[in-house]
Amino acid sequence: MTPSDRVELDSTGLIVAGSPQIHDVLSTKKLNWYLVIAVLPAALWGVVQFGLPALAVLLTGVATAALTEALIPKRVGGVADGNAVAIGLMMSLMFPPQAPLLLVAVSAAFAIVVVKWAFGGLGHAILNPAIAGRVLAQALDPQAMNRFSLPGALGDGAPDEGYTAAAMIREAAEGVTPLERLQYLAYPRTTVDQSVTAWLNGSILEPLGVHLPGGYIDPFIGFAPGGIGEVSVLLLLVGSAFLIGKRVVAWHVPLAIFIGFAGGIATWGGYAFGTGFFSGDVLFHSLHGGIVFLMFFGATDNTAAPVTSGGMMVYGVLIGLSAALLRLYGLYTEGLAVAVLVVSFFVPLIDFFTKPVRFGFNRRNGEPRLYKLRG
Amino acid sequence: MKPIRSILKGGVYPPDGTRAARNQPIWNAMIPARCVVPLLQHTGAPARRLVDVGQHVEEGTVIGAPQGYESARVHAPIPGVVTEITRLTLADGRESNAVVIELDGEFQQLGKSIQPRAWRGWKSSRVRAAIFDAGVVGLGGEGTPGRVKYSPPQNGLLEWLIINGCESEPYLSNDYSLLRERPQQIVEAVEILSQLLAPRRAAIALTTHTRAASSGLRKAISAANARVQLQQLNDKYPQGDEHTLVRAVSGRSVRGAAPVTEAGCMVVNVGTAVAVYEAVVLGKPLVERTLTVSGNAIARPANLKVRIGASIEDLIEECGGFKHAPRKIVIGGPMRGHAVADLSQPVTKLTTGVLALTDDELYAVPETACIHCGRCVRACPMGLEPVLLHLLIGQGNSRAVKEAGIFDCTECGCCGFICPSGIPLVEQLEQAKSWVRHEVSDDAE
């Protein structure tokens, strides 16, 4: 090394602080912005599929949330920490593409002002603001919130009331599966679905003795009606791989939701169709109606979830089960956000019962461990 | 070697900045021309000064005598003249008198070969006296005086004697360099301590990082026919802490507030083992130690053998100075070490490393509100809930803070490291301890 490479010490710039002296790469700000980045592919897909109305909904949601956040007089926080943007974006991604913009704006403002700040701002909300905003919208205008248009690839994009696959299961009929019901109603399928299904069956599944009926590939890729950001399961999975890789989201909650949801659907899902218990179509329900969005983006909010791994598992399973029951027996098949909201109220209880076992204490009686030493 | 055990609950994976210094051999640092030797280099009471200004000292002259039971001897690291008695604030915040020695005269021990002493068959009291006379303290950074550590009531009660080769913190590789270069001495130290303390079993614990030292250790063990096993552990921080280490090796766990001797275990750091060897076999006082100089800002990170009392400025100079502007100078490791603004700080028996960290290593996060994410709860190896403690401390509820287990906190730094809101949790907990102790004094912990 030549002497010119040497840097002299500028002691005025030195930080003197308590331990630990280094910090993890993640900060609250990064948590929020990573969330926004992770959901962007799915959001973009929604905009491409549903066109300008969807874009208008997203922009309204984000802009209202950011503006409200900026206007609230406060000592801490601000738009730059990304929280308000994340809330606005997550909430509006759960809206139908043709949702009235006023409804979007009111819900976003409600999420920020009432759910987030009335409880003390970042970190103090007892509910996930985005979820609460979505549920409010459903309560204010249930009709608009259940009118889903077809994506561009499937039709002309005009709203058609109740025209989502998940809604079809309400028209239950004896001995008819949800998918058969859709076929009967001439639910559109893309050529992509046909060719991918045929290829999968031909080269992978049939040698294994399984047959995949048509109609599952479309919602996986994102050719299905639904909330703007909820339709492309594939892109949501890509985004969530990023989130888990960056440690923004722990795997516990998504996995537990899936376990609860799949268990619930498998148990009760086929009952309405006369096929008895344990005959539900888990794949169908997982691909339609936004459960994947909920798993990774809706329910993983740091503030509302329990703090221990065990608690997160309990929380997730409860959300999954309630989502399954809401899907099957609730008022609205698309309103899975309600499940998160309901379980959020139990979080203090879950936290209480899943306290970590302290090091050096007995799990059973909570007493410190004592060892008899030989003398 | 036994298979890897990986039962550490909680913990974090801090970036390991040791790569640069990791495989470097131990360098003998230049003998400093001036040593500042604090009289407090251990837990307990400072040593009583035995020399005055103007007095001539030899290498290894006792300049501080222990005061009380928990204290340790301090020796002159270099021959010379005492020029000054100063008072300074140590990196850990304690104040201490220090003896300043200017180099003069001849070295009595440096470079001379010493005939090993036949310690086998010595009485316990003689072994203990040798350790005590050499001023051996815990060199892992904790600084427990040897007299306290290796005395009854531990005698005969020990289930496990564990040599900690886990490298207690990221960035540091001084223990690893000793494991690599001095396996025979470490194994002999195990034999000495085994004779002294009669543990039922002895183990040298390594992590995946220090695994490469295992072949040398195994050779040394079979050559000495020593009764000690190697145990490999996973590399999660704080695996090298006493409590988590004891749990991983012996399966026993006692609460953070209790010493691990309550589980019938004793943990001895690798550097301390070498010091014990030198004290007993060579009769050498503890006047030098091995430490790591590392961090992005250091031109040539290295493991150095350094005289006590050398300034950290000398060490940084020895390693080529700074190649980037440092943002933090840390004495110790990155998780528990102390940041200093003053490069004149001397090396003490407790100095495990000197780090010069740049901005892109710190990831300093401005403090924002707690988002209740629970990362601290999942990171706490003691099973505490820092998020709850933070809340209770804010409310001023000292009794509830105590109930929540604040005294089991070992200040390992995991919660503060992981907190995305940048809350200085460790500082808060540290301060709260004395406050709670004061408020809830009626039932002592």
Side-chain angles (χ1 to χ4, degrees), chain A residues 28 121-124 303, chain B residues 368-374 376 387 390 419 421 423:
Chain A
T28 310
L122 184 63
H124 296 286
T303 304
Chain B
T368 51
C370 166
I371 58 166
H372 200 259
C373 64
C376 53
V387 57
H390 169 72
C419 178
S421 297
I423 299 168

Side-chain angles (χ1 to χ4, degrees), chain A residues 252-253 256 306-317 350-351 353-356, chain B residues 378:
Chain A
H252 306 79
V253 171
V307 292
T308 62
S309 316
M312 293 196 301
M313 292 297 279
V314 173
Y315 173 76
V317 168
I350 296 173
D351 269 337
F353 282 111
T354 55
K355 272 188 177 299
Chain B
R378 300 192 287 278

Side-chain angles (χ1 to χ4, degrees), chain A residues 200-254:
Chain A
L200 272 178
N201 278 328
S203 51
I204 300 175
L205 294 176
E206 277 186 353
L208 296 172
V210 190
H211 177 79
L212 181 75
Y216 284 110
I217 301 301
D218 268 350
F220 180 70
I221 298 173
F223 297 117
I228 300 165
E230 297 175 337
V231 289
S232 177
V233 172
L234 176 65
L235 292 177
L236 285 172
L237 289 178
V238 169
S240 44
F242 170 79
L243 282 186
I244 290 179
K246 287 280 181 192
R247 292 180 291 124
V248 174
V249 160
W251 51 268
H252 306 79
V253 171

Side-chain angles (χ1 to χ4, degrees), chain A residues 369-375, chain B residues 151-161 197-201 246 250 252-254 258-266:
Chain A
R369 283 205 182 137
L370 295 173
Y371 292 93
K372 213 175 142 196
L373 305 177
R374 60 201 176 95
Chain B
S151 292
Q154 283 86 340
N155 254 8
L157 301 175
L158 273 194
E159 201 68 28
W160 279 96
L161 170 68
L197 305 162
R200 190 172 278 180
R201 279 168 289 189
V246 161
S250 73
R252 294 177 162 204
S253 59
V254 287
V260 292
T261 44
E262 284 190 10
C265 297
M266 182 183 287

Side-chain angles (χ1 to χ4, degrees), chain A residues 56-66 84-85 87-89 91-92 101 104-105 108-109:
Chain A
V57 169
L58 295 189
L59 289 180
T60 309
V62 173
T64 313
V85 173
I87 290 171
L89 187 59
M91 189 202 76
S92 42
L101 297 185
V104 179

Side-chain angles (χ1 to χ4, degrees), chain A residues 45 50 149-151 154 165 187 218-220 222-227 231 287-288:
Chain A
W45 175 274
F50 300 113
S149 52
L150 281 177
L154 288 181
Y187 192 80
D218 268 350
F220 180 70
F223 297 117
V231 289
L287 294 175
H288 284 287

Side-chain angles (χ1 to χ4, degrees), chain B residues 8-38:
Chain B
L8 173 58
K9 183 199 154 298
V12 292
Y13 292 100
D16 183 38
T18 61
R19 247 159 293 149
R22 197 151 199 91
N23 295 310
Q24 302 281 337
I26 300 173
W27 268 27
N28 287 322
M30 278 204 303
I31 301 294
R34 180 171 181 270
C35 278
V36 180
V37 188

Side-chain angles (χ1 to χ4, degrees), chain A residues 8-366:
Chain A
E8 289 311 313
L9 179 71
D10 171 22
S11 55
T12 52
L14 285 182
I15 304 174
V16 179
S19 64
Q21 305 298 345
I22 52 174
H23 192 275
D24 187 39
V25 293
L26 282 179
S27 61
T28 310
K29 198 170 167 179
K30 277 189 190 161
L31 290 180
N32 285 316
W33 288 114
Y34 280 158
L35 203 64
V36 170
I37 292 170
V39 86
L40 277 184
L44 208 63
W45 175 274
V47 169
V48 169
Q49 286 303 320
F50 300 113
L52 286 179
L55 185 64
V57 169
L58 295 189
L59 289 180
T60 309
V62 173
T64 313
L67 199 68
T68 323
E69 173 87 12
L71 289 178
I72 284 177
K74 56 190 176 291
R75 280 167 297 141
V76 290
V79 181
D81 71 10
N83 187 248
V85 173
I87 290 171
L89 187 59
M90 294 304 145
M91 189 202 76
S92 42
L93 284 172
M94 287 184 276
F95 274 60
Q98 310 266 351
L101 297 185
L102 182 62
L103 184 65
V104 179
V106 167
S107 309
F110 170 79
I112 299 292
V113 175
V114 179
V115 188
K116 181 179 170 188
W117 279 104
F119 286 91
L122 184 63
H124 296 286
I126 54 168
L127 304 172
N128 178 345
I131 293 280
R134 170 67 172 79
V135 172
L136 176 83
Q138 185 139 312
L140 289 179
D141 193 345
Q143 243 182 350
M145 292 305 285
N146 278 284
R147 204 158 51 218
F148 293 92
S149 52
L150 281 177
L154 288 181
D156 56 3
D160 189 346
E161 204 163 330
Y163 202 3
T164 76
M168 296 299 166
I169 59 164
R170 282 310 159 67
E171 304 177 25
E174 282 286 313
V176 181
T177 67
L179 215 58
E180 284 167 350
R181 179 79 194 147
L182 290 183
Q183 274 161 8
Y184 172 73
L185 290 169
Y187 192 80
R189 277 174 69 194
T190 61
T191 49
V192 179
D193 184 274
Q194 287 158 12
S195 51
V196 173
T197 308
W199 178 81
L200 272 178
N201 278 328
S203 51
I204 300 175
L205 294 176
E206 277 186 353
L208 296 172
V210 190
H211 177 79
L212 181 75
Y216 284 110
I217 301 301
D218 268 350
F220 180 70
I221 298 173
F223 297 117
I228 300 165
E230 297 175 337
V231 289
S232 177
V233 172
L234 176 65
L235 292 177
L236 285 172
L237 289 178
V238 169
S240 44
F242 170 79
L243 282 186
I244 290 179
K246 287 280 181 192
R247 292 180 291 124
V248 174
V249 160
W251 51 268
H252 306 79
V253 171
L255 179 73
I257 292 181
F258 186 74
I259 291 171
F261 185 74
I265 291 291
T267 309
W268 291 292
Y271 189 66
F273 300 101
T275 50
F277 287 114
F278 306 110
S279 63
D281 189 343
V282 173
L283 193 57
F284 176 87
H285 285 277
S286 307
L287 294 175
H288 284 287
I291 188 71
V292 174
F293 184 89
L294 205 72
M295 272 163 62
F296 293 100
F297 298 94
T300 47
D301 176 57
N302 282 306
T303 304
V307 292
T308 62
S309 316
M312 293 196 301
M313 292 297 279
V314 173
Y315 173 76
V317 168
L318 286 179
I319 289 177
L321 265 178
S322 4
L325 293 177
L326 279 169
R327 165 68 60 79
L328 296 172
Y329 300 108
L331 208 49
Y332 305 110
T333 51
E334 297 286 330
L336 299 186
V338 178
V340 179
L341 208 63
V342 170
V343 179
S344 291
F345 289 110
F346 293 96
V347 166
L349 206 62
I350 296 173
D351 269 337
F352 181 81
F353 282 111
T354 55
K355 272 188 177 299
V357 179
R358 278 163 62 182
F359 188 92
F361 282 71
N362 289 316
R363 180 183 288 272
R364 207 172 301 154
N365 57 9

